[in-house]
Amino acid sequence: DVQMTQSPSSLSASVGDRVTITCRASQNIDYHLNWYHQRPGKAPNLLIYAASTLQSGVPSRFSGSGSGTDFTLTINSLQPEDFGTYYCQQSYTSSITFGQGTKLEIK
Amino acid sequence: QITLKESGPTLVKPTQTLTLTCTFSGFSLTTSGVAVAWIRQPPGEALEWLAFIYWNDDKRYRPSLKSRLSITKDTSKNQVVLTMTNMDPVDTATYYCAHTVYKFWSMDVWGQGTTVTVSS
């Protein structure tokens, strides 16, 4: 299995801040990397696919970058509704795997 | 508009078999490049992919659970069924189904999830 490791595991930030979450794959996954946001008690929501393509309807303050093994999700100008947990997911292999999640708290 | 909804028992006993149904609309599982995924999330834990079923009836399973999982589709009913045998309390989780497409297999639309508790 391809292991996905996110950092940090949790963070606290203020409205208006810029936040960066990283995701590292245990092997090359090219750009087959997707990002999701999940609020408590809700299903995940796709934010970014193919490492850097913004899903339709997702605010432009979200952006993704990276390829190979190292990836980044950036949230510019953090909004109150951005709290929750963020997950990366690789789809390079048919046995897909998720990261362990990054819990974002709004100060 | 694509929608998916999971249904099934909320409580199963250890050793029993779990059967979950995903009923969807807004797409066809006969369309090339389309698939449905099952993902679960134990309480307070991360997402865990379980299985895919593709438009061509190809199937993929989580390696560690492969012997316990089975996924099938009924295209006439727009349903996907996941069965998991020999349920254990560690299988207690919210189970989601999701729509996904070639080539990046991102889950772009999710069901609301159904919570399954395994307890005697």
Side-chain angles (χ1 to χ4, degrees):
Chain A
D1 282 3
V2 179
Q3 304 302 316
M4 307 301 294
T5 303
Q6 292 181 230
S7 61
S9 295
S10 64
L11 74 154
S12 181
S14 299
V15 172
D17 282 355
R18 183 184 190 193
V19 169
T20 298
I21 298 169
T22 64
C23 179
R24 174 164 289 177
S26 60
Q27 67 179 70
N28 173 47
I29 59 169
D30 201 3
Y31 55 107
H32 293 258
L33 191 284
N34 308 309
W35 289 98
Y36 301 86
H37 173 224
Q38 185 180 35
R39 297 191 182 94
K42 301 295 185 182
N45 181 51
L46 176 66
L47 299 173
I48 302 277
Y49 64 93
S52 61
T53 303
L54 196 67
Q55 172 69 357
S56 176
V58 174
S60 58
R61 64 179 179 274
F62 292 93
S63 63
S65 63
S67 65
T69 60
D70 294 307
F71 302 85
T72 300
L73 173 71
T74 300
I75 311 171
N76 285 303
S77 188
L78 195 66
Q79 298 300 301
E81 61 266 29
D82 297 337
F83 79 94
T85 303
Y86 290 83
Y87 293 95
C88 61
Q89 171 240 321
Q90 67 81 19
S91 55
Y92 185 76
T93 69
S94 59
S95 181
I96 69 170
T97 45
F98 289 89
Q100 84 279 14
T102 295
K103 188 173 183 179
L104 174 59
E105 174 192 85
I106 309 295
K107 284 182 185 175
Chain B
Q1 179 193 5
I2 291 174
T3 65
L4 305 97
K5 187 173 184 179
E6 307 87 351
S7 59
T10 57
L11 178 66
V12 297
K13 297 184 188 309
T15 76
Q16 286 187 336
T17 294
L18 172 68
T19 300
L20 295 173
T21 300
C22 176
T23 303
F24 58 86
S25 63
F27 69 97
S28 172
L29 247 184
T30 61
T31 301
S32 179
V34 175
V36 169
W38 282 96
I39 304 101
R40 72 178 180 180
Q41 186 172 38
E45 297 186 25
L47 301 166
E48 186 176 88
W49 168 75
L50 298 176
F52 278 127
I53 188 162
Y54 299 90
W55 78 99
N56 58 2
D57 210 35
D58 194 11
K59 301 161 188 179
R60 293 288 184 271
Y61 297 104
R62 185 177 188 81
S64 60
L65 295 173
K66 187 175 182 179
S67 64
R68 297 174 54 205
L69 291 172
S70 176
I71 190 168
T72 59
K73 62 183 173 72
D74 184 333
T75 53
S76 66
K77 294 182 179 179
N78 280 353
Q79 291 182 332
V80 171
V81 175
L82 181 76
T83 60
M84 182 180 294
T85 61
N86 195 25
M87 293 292 285
D88 183 272
V90 300
D91 298 312
T92 293
T94 297
Y95 288 75
Y96 298 98
C97 62
H99 171 269
T100 183
V101 294
Y102 179 83
K103 115 184 188 186
F104 294 98
W105 304 114
S106 55
M107 272 66 79
D108 58 356
V109 184
W110 295 63
Q112 64 190 24
T114 186
T115 300
V116 178
T117 300
V118 184
S119 174
S120 54

